[in-house]
Each structure stands twice: as C-alpha cells, then as structure tokens.
Amino acid sequence: MTGGIPLSTNFAISIQGWLDLNGGPLVYSASYSRAGNYDALVLISDFSTNTQVNFILPSISSATIIVTIKDALVGCISNSSVFVTLQEQQGQNDASTQQEATTNYASTAISQGTTASLNILADQIALTDQLLLGCTTSTSTPTCNSASDASYSCQPSSTACSGHGTCAILSISPMRYQCHCSQGYFMSDCNMNQTTYDQQLKYRQDLIDLVTQSILSTPTTSTVDLQHFSDLLNLLETLTKDPFLNNNQTLSTTLSTLEYTLDILNNQQLTNDNNTNLTEVTQQVADILSNVLNQINQTDCSMATSFASQTINSTYNILGQLADLSLKNASAGQNTTITTDSFLMYGTVVNSNQLQNLSAAPSDSTPQVTLGTVNNPQNLPSPVLISYTYLKRDMTSCSSVPPTNFTLEIKDATTFQPLTVSVPVTVTYPSSIFKSISCPSSSCAPDTDSSGNTVCSCSDISIFDVKNQLINIYQNSQLKQITLQNLAALFTNPPFKRWSFWVAIGYSLALVITWIVVKTVNKEYCIVLKLRRAILAARRNKQPIHYSWCYKFYIGYIIVHPILNIFVFKDPTIGKGFRALLCYLRVMILLGMSAIFAPVDQTVIFNFKCFDTS
C-alpha cells in the first residue's frame, strides 16, 4: 500500500471472498483514479472472471485503486477501493525527465499490449503533457493557462504571449485574438523555446511511431481484438490531443494510421458480442480525427498551406469510411450519432420507399435537412444509408461563427457505394445558432419559417455531396489565390513597370561596380593625402601655397558627398567598400519610407482573406 516506485513497482490485486446473493456468476473490473474518486478512472482490466490483476502506476504520488464487482446475469454492481502511495522520484515534476521515462516505458507497454499497460502509458503521456504545459499533476483535472485551454486566445498587453510574440486580431466578427509567436517560440502563449519544442516533437513522433507499428503489424484480413485496438487508439488520441504539441509530420503519420485502422475494421466479421466494442472504436477514431481538424483550425485557420488542403481531403475520405463502419450490419430503422469537438456525424439506414419527406435533425445546433420527392425510387436498392456530416468550424475562416455547410450522401446500405439520387432538399437553419446566413447555392431559394428560421429550398441533393463541399472549401481558402493567372500577373503588372523598381536594380548594380573599383584601381587613392603631400613638398621648397576659394569649395564638396567621397577619400577606420554599403542602405531606406507614405495603389493582384467579416 505504500512505497511503490512509479513506472517500476509491480502492484498485484487479489479479489477474494465475493459472492452473489442469488448464487450467480461474478465478473470483476479494476481501475485507478488520481483524484481519489470515481471520476476520470483509468481502466486497468475490463470485466472478466479474473481475480488476479498485475499492473504498475505512472509518475504520481498516490492513487485510489477501485475494483468493481458485477453480477454477470442481472448487472448489479458493488465497488471496493484502497488507497496507495508512491515514492517521490527525482525529476518527477520535470517534463524532460518524464519524457525520457515515458519513452523508455512505452516500448515495453506496447509490446505487452494489455489493457493495463496501454492505458497506464496513455495516462503517463497525459501527465507529461501537463508538465510541458505548465500544469500541476497532483489532480486528475489540472487547472492552468495553457494550449489545452478551449479558448486559445490572448488579450493585448505588454505581458501577452509570454513576451515572445504579439497578441494579434484573428477575426473581427466575433472579435478573437491569438498569439503570433516570434521565431523560435511555440505554443498558444509562446512560452516554449525551440530546443524544448524540438525535443517534445521527437518524443511525440517516437511514441506515435510505436503505436503505428503495432497497428500496421496487424494484417487487414485477420480477426482482431477490438479491445486491444481501442486501447491503442486511446494512446493515439492522447498523443494528438493538443494542437500546439503536434506538427505536420505527427499528424500525417496519424492520418495514415487511421486509414489502415479503418481498412482492418471494415474487414472484420462482427457479431453481437463485439458490436459494443466497435461503437467505442469508431468514437475513438472520430476523436482522433477531431484532434487533427482542431490543429488545422488553430494553426492554419485560413487554409493557406497545401498540407491543410491535403488533410481536409484525407479527413473527408476517413469520415466516409467511418460513417460506413458505424452502420455496418445495421438494419432498416437503425441510426448512429458520433459527436466530437470538431464535427457531428449522423447516419441512418432506411428502406428506399421511406426516403420521401425523410428528415435528419441530429442536433439543435446544426442545419436540419428534409428530403423531398425522389424522382427515381424504382432504381434504388433497399435499404439505403443516409450519411450526414457537419463540421462545427469553418475550415476556411478564422471566425468562430458556426459554418452553414455540411455533407449529405445516400449510399447502398449493403455495398456502401454512393447512389445518384435526384431529390430536392429543404435545409432549415435554427435562428438561435445561425444569426445571418445566405443559402449555400444559387440553386437554393431562401425563405423564413414561422419560427424565424432561415429555410433554403434546394433543387437537388448533389450540392451537398463531398465533392462539392471540397470545392467550396478550396474556393474559400487562400490556396485558390495561387493560380497561373495570378503568377502571370507578376509579369504583366508592377513592380517592374515602376521607376522605384529600376532605381533599386540600378543602385544594386552600382554597389557591385563600386565594390569592384574600390577594391582594384581606386583602392589607395585619397585626395586628402595627395593635398598633404603637395603642401609638404611646397614647404620643403619654400614655395608659397595658395588655393582659390573655388578649389576649396570643390574639395570640401567631394569630401562630404555621400557617393563621391567613396572614391576620393580613404578613411583609416571605415573602408571604401563599407561606406558604399552604407550609402546603398540609405537609399533603400528612403525608397521604403516613400512606399509607406505614398498613396495606396488601387491595383490588387493577390486578395488574401485575413478575416471573415460576415
């Protein structure tokens, strides 16, 4: 009960003496809680007849071990718990030390592949991430100002962004601010330097690679233990939870792993016994996908990079497979709803003759859809699957205004192949959520119902399929601005038709020529030295020295002139080449200042969208 060493001591649970009053069989489950209560439990072993359980504990000072005893027939439950303490270890509150300890334990935990080893590893990763974010690890629900906060926002002040960035406007409607970190600093509040960031990225990528290798080692045609897959996905979800602790490489690996996972799961022959586990696994895949979308929204909310675009394409592909998986072996009348922080997915299976006037309203905060009269019902198989997916954030805008777009597809419920169905669609946008919107297409007629909700009557369902939604995302992203036409505009419009462009080019060439001259034929010439020698020679010969005022003015002028003095005067401390560079910089600064105060040019070549002002 006392003195255990984190990530080392092997604890053993022995469950003895429990009997069911009615003589029925009992099953046992073991968990632990860092907070000392029944919230945020970490599962050690799921319900089984095993009365002996072995496990270790992560880097914590104490834990409450909880055993749940259940009547296998009736479902009655009793709980029993004990409190254990662990030794305080050197470096237990140091993120770097804990990263190393976590990495060392990870390979053993994943190779063991037990529920206890994988879930405790996930909890250890969460503890390490809390240290990285400056949180306390004394409770299961730490409170700290970190990137794991939901707001990801800052307030403009001298101390904002840890002094390593600026708190800039992210969107105007509503007003949102976000830290723009200086080079070499990271996280939502710019409190992590380059060295620490690189170290934690390597740590995270190594762990993700271990999870990926374990999943990829499973043949797609084999029968898998869904509980084991669930434990591995729990690890992956923990590793990708915080968008500021991941990068393109870690998320690319994650997406590839999810695609392979879905290939495996879609090939499984499911029974009623493991349908519950499948529901859990699909939710975990959805949560990981939500983490990926959250990173895109937080770090590239205007879709300015090709990685963001490719990720959205991959995401829609995975969402489609996830919708199919969630309704695998479902019969007419069954439906599923998967909800995450980033999206909501609703699916239902119906007979084709029930499509007319079918409504899909998975949530009060999402667009609600009603199908009209189907034009070709006789050509449709039965049953059919309706898949509805709504992204809670507009992936092309930095605004937090709820997006109006969604995807709606009809598939063959047996083969999961998309069906071409000609059917009008009515979309109702709840006025409590969608304050001011326009219909998603010119083929939709706007109206308002008796409750003040905006209603769009669209002529065909096809405008809501995945292809059209991806086109819509591209049209509204900054990537659309990178076209051959815009690139060609650089060669048919300014800057090279403006005098300032050629002044800059001319001065740059002049600087190069001047450097060549002053380093060769003009290297030692100095008019002051020449005059001094002439004066000394006249004094030795006792000859009078007389210079006209015009000559004196000429000498004074060329000495102070910023360009001529480079060639006629040799300074023992500042060389001719360096003075030429200073003159060049002065001219460039003058051109830059003139550009700042010059009238704004009315010709816009690139019209990148900074905010959503709708």
PDB file of all heavy atoms in Angstrom, residues 231-261:
ATOM      1  N   ASP A 231      -7.583   0.266 -27.015  1.00  0.00           N
ATOM      2  CA  ASP A 231      -6.519   0.749 -26.127  1.00  0.00           C
ATOM      3  C   ASP A 231      -5.434   1.477 -26.922  1.00  0.00           C
ATOM      4  O   ASP A 231      -4.904   2.514 -26.485  1.00  0.00           O
ATOM      5  CB  ASP A 231      -5.911  -0.416 -25.356  1.00  0.00           C
ATOM      6  CG  ASP A 231      -6.916  -1.080 -24.422  1.00  0.00           C
ATOM      7  OD1 ASP A 231      -7.873  -0.395 -23.997  1.00  0.00           O
ATOM      8  OD2 ASP A 231      -6.759  -2.290 -24.128  1.00  0.00           O
ATOM      9  N   LEU A 232      -5.080   0.949 -28.104  1.00  0.00           N
ATOM     10  CA  LEU A 232      -4.073   1.617 -28.944  1.00  0.00           C
ATOM     11  C   LEU A 232      -4.577   2.974 -29.440  1.00  0.00           C
ATOM     12  O   LEU A 232      -3.832   3.967 -29.465  1.00  0.00           O
ATOM     13  CB  LEU A 232      -3.711   0.724 -30.130  1.00  0.00           C
ATOM     14  CG  LEU A 232      -2.869  -0.520 -29.825  1.00  0.00           C
ATOM     15  CD1 LEU A 232      -2.771  -1.408 -31.060  1.00  0.00           C
ATOM     16  CD2 LEU A 232      -1.478  -0.134 -29.341  1.00  0.00           C
ATOM     17  N   LEU A 233      -5.842   3.030 -29.828  1.00  0.00           N
ATOM     18  CA  LEU A 233      -6.408   4.295 -30.307  1.00  0.00           C
ATOM     19  C   LEU A 233      -6.519   5.301 -29.181  1.00  0.00           C
ATOM     20  O   LEU A 233      -6.398   6.516 -29.411  1.00  0.00           O
ATOM     21  CB  LEU A 233      -7.778   4.043 -30.937  1.00  0.00           C
ATOM     22  CG  LEU A 233      -7.756   3.265 -32.259  1.00  0.00           C
ATOM     23  CD1 LEU A 233      -9.172   2.932 -32.709  1.00  0.00           C
ATOM     24  CD2 LEU A 233      -7.034   4.055 -33.349  1.00  0.00           C
ATOM     25  N   ASN A 234      -6.736   4.827 -27.958  1.00  0.00           N
ATOM     26  CA  ASN A 234      -6.741   5.729 -26.814  1.00  0.00           C
ATOM     27  C   ASN A 234      -5.381   6.401 -26.648  1.00  0.00           C
ATOM     28  O   ASN A 234      -5.285   7.594 -26.334  1.00  0.00           O
ATOM     29  CB  ASN A 234      -7.108   4.945 -25.548  1.00  0.00           C
ATOM     30  CG  ASN A 234      -7.114   5.816 -24.304  1.00  0.00           C
ATOM     31  OD1 ASN A 234      -7.679   6.906 -24.302  1.00  0.00           O
ATOM     32  ND2 ASN A 234      -6.481   5.344 -23.246  1.00  0.00           N
ATOM     33  N   LEU A 235      -4.309   5.630 -26.881  1.00  0.00           N
ATOM     34  CA  LEU A 235      -2.957   6.196 -26.863  1.00  0.00           C
ATOM     35  C   LEU A 235      -2.801   7.277 -27.926  1.00  0.00           C
ATOM     36  O   LEU A 235      -2.275   8.373 -27.675  1.00  0.00           O
ATOM     37  CB  LEU A 235      -1.938   5.088 -27.130  1.00  0.00           C
ATOM     38  CG  LEU A 235      -1.292   4.361 -25.954  1.00  0.00           C
ATOM     39  CD1 LEU A 235      -0.368   3.285 -26.466  1.00  0.00           C
ATOM     40  CD2 LEU A 235      -0.545   5.332 -25.078  1.00  0.00           C
ATOM     41  N   LEU A 236      -3.235   6.971 -29.141  1.00  0.00           N
ATOM     42  CA  LEU A 236      -3.099   7.904 -30.253  1.00  0.00           C
ATOM     43  C   LEU A 236      -3.912   9.172 -30.012  1.00  0.00           C
ATOM     44  O   LEU A 236      -3.473  10.280 -30.348  1.00  0.00           O
ATOM     45  CB  LEU A 236      -3.548   7.215 -31.543  1.00  0.00           C
ATOM     46  CG  LEU A 236      -3.038   7.793 -32.864  1.00  0.00           C
ATOM     47  CD1 LEU A 236      -1.522   7.859 -32.886  1.00  0.00           C
ATOM     48  CD2 LEU A 236      -3.541   6.947 -34.023  1.00  0.00           C
ATOM     49  N   GLU A 237      -5.088   9.019 -29.427  1.00  0.00           N
ATOM     50  CA  GLU A 237      -5.921  10.187 -29.129  1.00  0.00           C
ATOM     51  C   GLU A 237      -5.242  11.086 -28.104  1.00  0.00           C
ATOM     52  O   GLU A 237      -5.268  12.317 -28.217  1.00  0.00           O
ATOM     53  CB  GLU A 237      -7.281   9.711 -28.611  1.00  0.00           C
ATOM     54  CG  GLU A 237      -8.373  10.775 -28.661  1.00  0.00           C
ATOM     55  CD  GLU A 237      -8.369  11.680 -27.448  1.00  0.00           C
ATOM     56  OE1 GLU A 237      -7.939  11.227 -26.376  1.00  0.00           O
ATOM     57  OE2 GLU A 237      -8.803  12.846 -27.557  1.00  0.00           O
ATOM     58  N   THR A 238      -4.602  10.495 -27.103  1.00  0.00           N
ATOM     59  CA  THR A 238      -3.886  11.275 -26.087  1.00  0.00           C
ATOM     60  C   THR A 238      -2.713  12.024 -26.703  1.00  0.00           C
ATOM     61  O   THR A 238      -2.460  13.186 -26.384  1.00  0.00           O
ATOM     62  CB  THR A 238      -3.381  10.338 -24.970  1.00  0.00           C
ATOM     63  OG1 THR A 238      -4.490   9.642 -24.400  1.00  0.00           O
ATOM     64  CG2 THR A 238      -2.683  11.126 -23.875  1.00  0.00           C
ATOM     65  N   LEU A 239      -1.989  11.375 -27.616  1.00  0.00           N
ATOM     66  CA  LEU A 239      -0.806  11.989 -28.230  1.00  0.00           C
ATOM     67  C   LEU A 239      -1.159  13.143 -29.155  1.00  0.00           C
ATOM     68  O   LEU A 239      -0.340  14.046 -29.372  1.00  0.00           O
ATOM     69  CB  LEU A 239      -0.030  10.923 -29.014  1.00  0.00           C
ATOM     70  CG  LEU A 239       0.772   9.933 -28.180  1.00  0.00           C
ATOM     71  CD1 LEU A 239       1.163   8.716 -29.005  1.00  0.00           C
ATOM     72  CD2 LEU A 239       2.012  10.609 -27.604  1.00  0.00           C
ATOM     73  N   THR A 240      -2.348  13.146 -29.733  1.00  0.00           N
ATOM     74  CA  THR A 240      -2.726  14.190 -30.700  1.00  0.00           C
ATOM     75  C   THR A 240      -3.697  15.216 -30.112  1.00  0.00           C
ATOM     76  O   THR A 240      -4.232  16.035 -30.844  1.00  0.00           O
ATOM     77  CB  THR A 240      -3.373  13.549 -31.939  1.00  0.00           C
ATOM     78  OG1 THR A 240      -4.511  12.761 -31.527  1.00  0.00           O
ATOM     79  CG2 THR A 240      -2.392  12.667 -32.669  1.00  0.00           C
ATOM     80  N   LYS A 241      -3.902  15.171 -28.814  1.00  0.00           N
ATOM     81  CA  LYS A 241      -4.949  15.979 -28.201  1.00  0.00           C
ATOM     82  C   LYS A 241      -4.678  17.482 -28.311  1.00  0.00           C
ATOM     83  O   LYS A 241      -5.576  18.270 -28.559  1.00  0.00           O
ATOM     84  CB  LYS A 241      -5.113  15.593 -26.729  1.00  0.00           C
ATOM     85  CG  LYS A 241      -6.419  16.061 -26.115  1.00  0.00           C
ATOM     86  CD  LYS A 241      -6.594  15.487 -24.736  1.00  0.00           C
ATOM     87  CE  LYS A 241      -7.990  15.726 -24.203  1.00  0.00           C
ATOM     88  NZ  LYS A 241      -9.034  15.057 -24.980  1.00  0.00           N
ATOM     89  N   ASP A 242      -3.433  17.876 -28.097  1.00  0.00           N
ATOM     90  CA  ASP A 242      -3.112  19.305 -28.085  1.00  0.00           C
ATOM     91  C   ASP A 242      -2.548  19.740 -29.433  1.00  0.00           C
ATOM     92  O   ASP A 242      -1.527  19.217 -29.879  1.00  0.00           O
ATOM     93  CB  ASP A 242      -2.100  19.613 -26.984  1.00  0.00           C
ATOM     94  CG  ASP A 242      -2.027  21.103 -26.691  1.00  0.00           C
ATOM     95  OD1 ASP A 242      -1.617  21.858 -27.594  1.00  0.00           O
ATOM     96  OD2 ASP A 242      -2.391  21.507 -25.577  1.00  0.00           O
ATOM     97  N   PRO A 243      -3.192  20.693 -30.127  1.00  0.00           N
ATOM     98  CA  PRO A 243      -2.737  21.069 -31.474  1.00  0.00           C
ATOM     99  C   PRO A 243      -1.377  21.730 -31.498  1.00  0.00           C
ATOM    100  O   PRO A 243      -0.680  21.673 -32.510  1.00  0.00           O
ATOM    101  CB  PRO A 243      -3.836  22.041 -31.945  1.00  0.00           C
ATOM    102  CG  PRO A 243      -4.434  22.581 -30.696  1.00  0.00           C
ATOM    103  CD  PRO A 243      -4.381  21.456 -29.712  1.00  0.00           C
ATOM    104  N   PHE A 244      -0.962  22.356 -30.390  1.00  0.00           N
ATOM    105  CA  PHE A 244       0.314  23.066 -30.380  1.00  0.00           C
ATOM    106  C   PHE A 244       1.486  22.162 -30.004  1.00  0.00           C
ATOM    107  O   PHE A 244       2.625  22.609 -29.997  1.00  0.00           O
ATOM    108  CB  PHE A 244       0.229  24.262 -29.430  1.00  0.00           C
ATOM    109  CG  PHE A 244      -0.734  25.313 -29.898  1.00  0.00           C
ATOM    110  CD1 PHE A 244      -2.044  25.309 -29.471  1.00  0.00           C
ATOM    111  CD2 PHE A 244      -0.334  26.300 -30.787  1.00  0.00           C
ATOM    112  CE1 PHE A 244      -2.942  26.268 -29.914  1.00  0.00           C
ATOM    113  CE2 PHE A 244      -1.222  27.256 -31.236  1.00  0.00           C
ATOM    114  CZ  PHE A 244      -2.528  27.240 -30.801  1.00  0.00           C
ATOM    115  N   LEU A 245       1.198  20.907 -29.679  1.00  0.00           N
ATOM    116  CA  LEU A 245       2.262  19.949 -29.390  1.00  0.00           C
ATOM    117  C   LEU A 245       2.467  18.978 -30.538  1.00  0.00           C
ATOM    118  O   LEU A 245       3.161  17.979 -30.394  1.00  0.00           O
ATOM    119  CB  LEU A 245       1.933  19.168 -28.106  1.00  0.00           C
ATOM    120  CG  LEU A 245       1.946  19.970 -26.808  1.00  0.00           C
ATOM    121  CD1 LEU A 245       1.524  19.094 -25.642  1.00  0.00           C
ATOM    122  CD2 LEU A 245       3.316  20.581 -26.552  1.00  0.00           C
ATOM    123  N   ASN A 246       1.864  19.259 -31.694  1.00  0.00           N
ATOM    124  CA  ASN A 246       2.000  18.403 -32.870  1.00  0.00           C
ATOM    125  C   ASN A 246       2.401  19.250 -34.068  1.00  0.00           C
ATOM    126  O   ASN A 246       2.306  20.473 -34.038  1.00  0.00           O
ATOM    127  CB  ASN A 246       0.691  17.668 -33.152  1.00  0.00           C
ATOM    128  CG  ASN A 246       0.482  16.473 -32.251  1.00  0.00           C
ATOM    129  OD1 ASN A 246       0.921  15.372 -32.543  1.00  0.00           O
ATOM    130  ND2 ASN A 246      -0.195  16.673 -31.123  1.00  0.00           N
ATOM    131  N   ASN A 247       2.843  18.588 -35.116  1.00  0.00           N
ATOM    132  CA  ASN A 247       3.167  19.294 -36.354  1.00  0.00           C
ATOM    133  C   ASN A 247       2.685  18.470 -37.547  1.00  0.00           C
ATOM    134  O   ASN A 247       2.023  17.444 -37.384  1.00  0.00           O
ATOM    135  CB  ASN A 247       4.671  19.596 -36.447  1.00  0.00           C
ATOM    136  CG  ASN A 247       5.514  18.319 -36.544  1.00  0.00           C
ATOM    137  OD1 ASN A 247       5.007  17.203 -36.448  1.00  0.00           O
ATOM    138  ND2 ASN A 247       6.800  18.495 -36.736  1.00  0.00           N
ATOM    139  N   ASN A 248       3.032  18.890 -38.747  1.00  0.00           N
ATOM    140  CA  ASN A 248       2.560  18.198 -39.952  1.00  0.00           C
ATOM    141  C   ASN A 248       2.990  16.735 -39.990  1.00  0.00           C
ATOM    142  O   ASN A 248       2.238  15.862 -40.434  1.00  0.00           O
ATOM    143  CB  ASN A 248       3.088  18.919 -41.201  1.00  0.00           C
ATOM    144  CG  ASN A 248       2.492  20.297 -41.351  1.00  0.00           C
ATOM    145  OD1 ASN A 248       1.659  20.717 -40.559  1.00  0.00           O
ATOM    146  ND2 ASN A 248       2.923  21.028 -42.372  1.00  0.00           N
ATOM    147  N   GLN A 249       4.208  16.458 -39.526  1.00  0.00           N
ATOM    148  CA  GLN A 249       4.715  15.088 -39.601  1.00  0.00           C
ATOM    149  C   GLN A 249       3.936  14.157 -38.676  1.00  0.00           C
ATOM    150  O   GLN A 249       3.540  13.057 -39.077  1.00  0.00           O
ATOM    151  CB  GLN A 249       6.202  15.056 -39.244  1.00  0.00           C
ATOM    152  CG  GLN A 249       6.820  13.671 -39.370  1.00  0.00           C
ATOM    153  CD  GLN A 249       8.292  13.664 -39.036  1.00  0.00           C
ATOM    154  OE1 GLN A 249       8.891  14.705 -38.779  1.00  0.00           O
ATOM    155  NE2 GLN A 249       8.896  12.488 -39.034  1.00  0.00           N
ATOM    156  N   THR A 250       3.713  14.579 -37.431  1.00  0.00           N
ATOM    157  CA  THR A 250       2.993  13.707 -36.495  1.00  0.00           C
ATOM    158  C   THR A 250       1.560  13.465 -36.966  1.00  0.00           C
ATOM    159  O   THR A 250       1.031  12.360 -36.842  1.00  0.00           O
ATOM    160  CB  THR A 250       2.975  14.308 -35.083  1.00  0.00           C
ATOM    161  OG1 THR A 250       2.295  15.570 -35.093  1.00  0.00           O
ATOM    162  CG2 THR A 250       4.375  14.505 -34.550  1.00  0.00           C
ATOM    163  N   LEU A 251       0.931  14.500 -37.522  1.00  0.00           N
ATOM    164  CA  LEU A 251      -0.452  14.338 -37.967  1.00  0.00           C
ATOM    165  C   LEU A 251      -0.544  13.529 -39.256  1.00  0.00           C
ATOM    166  O   LEU A 251      -1.521  12.807 -39.465  1.00  0.00           O
ATOM    167  CB  LEU A 251      -1.097  15.714 -38.140  1.00  0.00           C
ATOM    168  CG  LEU A 251      -1.277  16.522 -36.844  1.00  0.00           C
ATOM    169  CD1 LEU A 251      -2.112  17.749 -37.098  1.00  0.00           C
ATOM    170  CD2 LEU A 251      -1.909  15.689 -35.750  1.00  0.00           C
ATOM    171  N   SER A 252       0.446  13.643 -40.127  1.00  0.00           N
ATOM    172  CA  SER A 252       0.446  12.817 -41.344  1.00  0.00           C
ATOM    173  C   SER A 252       0.537  11.332 -40.988  1.00  0.00           C
ATOM    174  O   SER A 252      -0.175  10.497 -41.555  1.00  0.00           O
ATOM    175  CB  SER A 252       1.626  13.200 -42.245  1.00  0.00           C
ATOM    176  OG  SER A 252       1.471  14.505 -42.753  1.00  0.00           O
ATOM    177  N   THR A 253       1.410  11.013 -40.024  1.00  0.00           N
ATOM    178  CA  THR A 253       1.517   9.631 -39.553  1.00  0.00           C
ATOM    179  C   THR A 253       0.195   9.171 -38.953  1.00  0.00           C
ATOM    180  O   THR A 253      -0.252   8.038 -39.176  1.00  0.00           O
ATOM    181  CB  THR A 253       2.636   9.514 -38.502  1.00  0.00           C
ATOM    182  OG1 THR A 253       3.853  10.020 -39.035  1.00  0.00           O
ATOM    183  CG2 THR A 253       2.834   8.068 -38.087  1.00  0.00           C
ATOM    184  N   THR A 254      -0.443  10.052 -38.197  1.00  0.00           N
ATOM    185  CA  THR A 254      -1.719   9.715 -37.552  1.00  0.00           C
ATOM    186  C   THR A 254      -2.796   9.417 -38.577  1.00  0.00           C
ATOM    187  O   THR A 254      -3.543   8.426 -38.455  1.00  0.00           O
ATOM    188  CB  THR A 254      -2.165  10.872 -36.638  1.00  0.00           C
ATOM    189  OG1 THR A 254      -1.181  11.074 -35.617  1.00  0.00           O
ATOM    190  CG2 THR A 254      -3.508  10.582 -35.996  1.00  0.00           C
ATOM    191  N   LEU A 255      -2.904  10.241 -39.614  1.00  0.00           N
ATOM    192  CA  LEU A 255      -3.927  10.019 -40.644  1.00  0.00           C
ATOM    193  C   LEU A 255      -3.702   8.705 -41.380  1.00  0.00           C
ATOM    194  O   LEU A 255      -4.659   7.967 -41.657  1.00  0.00           O
ATOM    195  CB  LEU A 255      -3.929  11.193 -41.630  1.00  0.00           C
ATOM    196  CG  LEU A 255      -4.544  12.504 -41.132  1.00  0.00           C
ATOM    197  CD1 LEU A 255      -4.333  13.607 -42.153  1.00  0.00           C
ATOM    198  CD2 LEU A 255      -6.032  12.330 -40.847  1.00  0.00           C
ATOM    199  N   SER A 256      -2.446   8.397 -41.687  1.00  0.00           N
ATOM    200  CA  SER A 256      -2.148   7.125 -42.360  1.00  0.00           C
ATOM    201  C   SER A 256      -2.536   5.948 -41.476  1.00  0.00           C
ATOM    202  O   SER A 256      -3.072   4.940 -41.960  1.00  0.00           O
ATOM    203  CB  SER A 256      -0.658   7.048 -42.707  1.00  0.00           C
ATOM    204  OG  SER A 256      -0.282   8.092 -43.584  1.00  0.00           O
ATOM    205  N   THR A 257      -2.288   6.082 -40.181  1.00  0.00           N
ATOM    206  CA  THR A 257      -2.649   5.022 -39.240  1.00  0.00           C
ATOM    207  C   THR A 257      -4.160   4.840 -39.165  1.00  0.00           C
ATOM    208  O   THR A 257      -4.669   3.707 -39.118  1.00  0.00           O
ATOM    209  CB  THR A 257      -2.088   5.342 -37.841  1.00  0.00           C
ATOM    210  OG1 THR A 257      -0.680   5.547 -37.934  1.00  0.00           O
ATOM    211  CG2 THR A 257      -2.372   4.217 -36.871  1.00  0.00           C
ATOM    212  N   LEU A 258      -4.906   5.937 -39.173  1.00  0.00           N
ATOM    213  CA  LEU A 258      -6.360   5.847 -39.125  1.00  0.00           C
ATOM    214  C   LEU A 258      -6.914   5.164 -40.375  1.00  0.00           C
ATOM    215  O   LEU A 258      -7.856   4.366 -40.293  1.00  0.00           O
ATOM    216  CB  LEU A 258      -6.965   7.246 -38.979  1.00  0.00           C
ATOM    217  CG  LEU A 258      -6.782   7.947 -37.633  1.00  0.00           C
ATOM    218  CD1 LEU A 258      -7.504   9.284 -37.638  1.00  0.00           C
ATOM    219  CD2 LEU A 258      -7.282   7.086 -36.487  1.00  0.00           C
ATOM    220  N   GLU A 259      -6.346   5.479 -41.537  1.00  0.00           N
ATOM    221  CA  GLU A 259      -6.820   4.854 -42.773  1.00  0.00           C
ATOM    222  C   GLU A 259      -6.597   3.339 -42.737  1.00  0.00           C
ATOM    223  O   GLU A 259      -7.471   2.560 -43.137  1.00  0.00           O
ATOM    224  CB  GLU A 259      -6.093   5.477 -43.973  1.00  0.00           C
ATOM    225  CG  GLU A 259      -6.518   6.922 -44.247  1.00  0.00           C
ATOM    226  CD  GLU A 259      -5.687   7.582 -45.320  1.00  0.00           C
ATOM    227  OE1 GLU A 259      -4.623   7.018 -45.669  1.00  0.00           O
ATOM    228  OE2 GLU A 259      -6.074   8.659 -45.802  1.00  0.00           O
ATOM    229  N   TYR A 260      -5.441   2.918 -42.234  1.00  0.00           N
ATOM    230  CA  TYR A 260      -5.159   1.480 -42.141  1.00  0.00           C
ATOM    231  C   TYR A 260      -6.078   0.831 -41.102  1.00  0.00           C
ATOM    232  O   TYR A 260      -6.572  -0.292 -41.305  1.00  0.00           O
ATOM    233  CB  TYR A 260      -3.696   1.262 -41.759  1.00  0.00           C
ATOM    234  CG  TYR A 260      -3.256  -0.187 -41.848  1.00  0.00           C
ATOM    235  CD1 TYR A 260      -2.869  -0.738 -43.065  1.00  0.00           C
ATOM    236  CD2 TYR A 260      -3.242  -0.993 -40.717  1.00  0.00           C
ATOM    237  CE1 TYR A 260      -2.472  -2.068 -43.159  1.00  0.00           C
ATOM    238  CE2 TYR A 260      -2.849  -2.324 -40.798  1.00  0.00           C
ATOM    239  CZ  TYR A 260      -2.462  -2.854 -42.013  1.00  0.00           C
ATOM    240  OH  TYR A 260      -2.084  -4.171 -42.103  1.00  0.00           O
ATOM    241  N   THR A 261      -6.319   1.536 -39.996  1.00  0.00           N
ATOM    242  CA  THR A 261      -7.211   1.015 -38.961  1.00  0.00           C
ATOM    243  C   THR A 261      -8.601   0.761 -39.521  1.00  0.00           C
ATOM    244  O   THR A 261      -9.220  -0.282 -39.250  1.00  0.00           O
ATOM    245  CB  THR A 261      -7.296   2.015 -37.788  1.00  0.00           C
ATOM    246  OG1 THR A 261      -6.003   2.178 -37.216  1.00  0.00           O
ATOM    247  CG2 THR A 261      -8.254   1.534 -36.713  1.00  0.00           C
TER     248      THR A 261
END
